[in-house]
Amino acid sequence: MQLDLMASAVIGVRAFKTAQMAQLTLLPLRDSGIGSSANHSIVLKRPYIGDYPNEARPPFTHYTLKDECNILYHKANALYWAKALLQMTYQFVDHAVEDALVPPPFEIPHLHFIDARLIFAYSDVLPTTGQSARTGSAVNVAYLVEEFIPMSSDKFVKYIHNSNAEPCFLVDRKAEAIAEFLAFTQHVQYIKTGGQVYISDYQGCGPLLMDPQILMHP
């Protein structure tokens, strides 16, 4: 993995996370997704402590390795479950369309969550003490790795907040239709899981969704 540690390499700062570009090469290459090509462009996300009185800016104060790994694990786990819940929803929709006598009088949005992984960087020096690791390399830093989204005409849209199950008010008619569909998916997920969980904080760009939350009650 190749990355620029300079502050200028940070391409985004939001929601207590920094994002910076990097290139990843896995051996052997994966069949698809992150690591499927050499020097694969990726985005590394890392949480920081939000102790800034005004606008967040470098240098960023990071958590201890233990806390950092815990935060990123919960982010990755939420994304894992969101993918499974959305896949379940589309299976429900596909079966309903197959059983219907006529096709739906509207276009069903085809959306998917961004591809992401956890990556642990190893070092021969312990991050807590700066001393050499006695038993080989030790984890030095953790990142949430996401696929790089090239610039396009699609704008970032917040469809549904995690504090309110009601779709956001949107002027764009296409975005409004997606928000209504995503509200429908919440009902399907809540019913199909026996009232246990559903996806919230729906947001994304084009067909890509990202940074979901999993809620257990409306």
Side-chain angles (χ1 to χ4, degrees):
M1 184 174 67
Q2 296 180 337
L3 69 154
D4 188 349
L5 296 177
M6 298 294 292
S8 58
V10 176
I11 61 175
V13 179
R14 60 182 296 269
F16 305 111
K17 296 188 298 291
T18 59
Q20 62 185 111
M21 287 290 299
Q23 288 75 42
L24 177 69
T25 300
L26 296 180
L27 296 176
L29 297 177
R30 294 174 55 88
D31 293 333
S32 61
I34 293 176
S36 58
S37 62
N39 295 321
H40 199 154
S41 293
I42 57 174
V43 175
L44 301 178
K45 290 189 174 181
R46 188 181 183 190
Y48 66 88
I49 300 174
D51 55 358
Y52 300 88
N54 299 308
E55 182 181 358
R57 58 186 182 276
F60 298 99
T61 304
H62 293 289
Y63 292 88
T64 64
L65 181 61
K66 180 181 178 180
D67 291 339
E68 185 173 66
C69 289
N70 186 52
I71 293 171
L72 294 178
Y73 169 79
H74 282 86
K75 288 289 184 182
N77 197 41
L79 186 57
Y80 173 85
W81 282 103
K83 287 183 177 183
L85 288 168
L86 188 62
Q87 182 182 24
M88 178 193 69
T89 305
Y90 274 113
Q91 290 174 347
F92 172 85
V93 171
D94 291 341
H95 291 157
V97 172
E98 291 176 0
D99 295 339
L101 298 178
V102 295
F106 51 84
E107 183 179 355
I108 299 175
H110 295 283
L111 311 169
H112 63 277
F113 280 100
I114 196 168
D115 190 18
R117 301 286 189 275
L118 283 179
I119 279 189
F120 300 96
Y122 286 78
S123 173
D124 293 331
V125 178
L126 295 174
T128 53
T129 64
Q131 299 177 348
S132 298
R134 295 182 178 180
T135 58
S137 299
V139 175
N140 185 53
V141 63
Y143 295 101
L144 178 67
V145 180
E146 294 183 354
E147 60 179 300
F148 172 67
I149 305 175
M151 293 293 294
S152 69
S153 58
D154 295 318
K155 295 182 179 180
F156 178 85
V157 180
K158 173 77 78 170
Y159 297 106
I160 301 177
H161 286 281
N162 59 359
S163 59
N164 190 341
E166 190 172 327
C168 299
F169 175 76
L170 299 168
V171 177
D172 184 79
R173 296 184 63 180
K174 181 179 179 181
E176 184 182 29
I178 292 176
E180 291 178 353
F181 173 77
L182 292 175
F184 158 77
T185 68
Q186 291 181 317
H187 288 275
V188 174
Q189 294 156 11
Y190 192 71
I191 294 173
K192 297 291 285 185
T193 62
Q196 295 187 71
V197 293
Y198 65 94
I199 304 171
S200 187
D201 209 16
Y202 272 123
Q203 56 195 315
C205 178
L208 282 174
L209 299 172
M210 59 195 71
D211 292 334
Q213 297 289 329
I214 306 298
L215 297 188
M216 300 179 65
H217 56 81

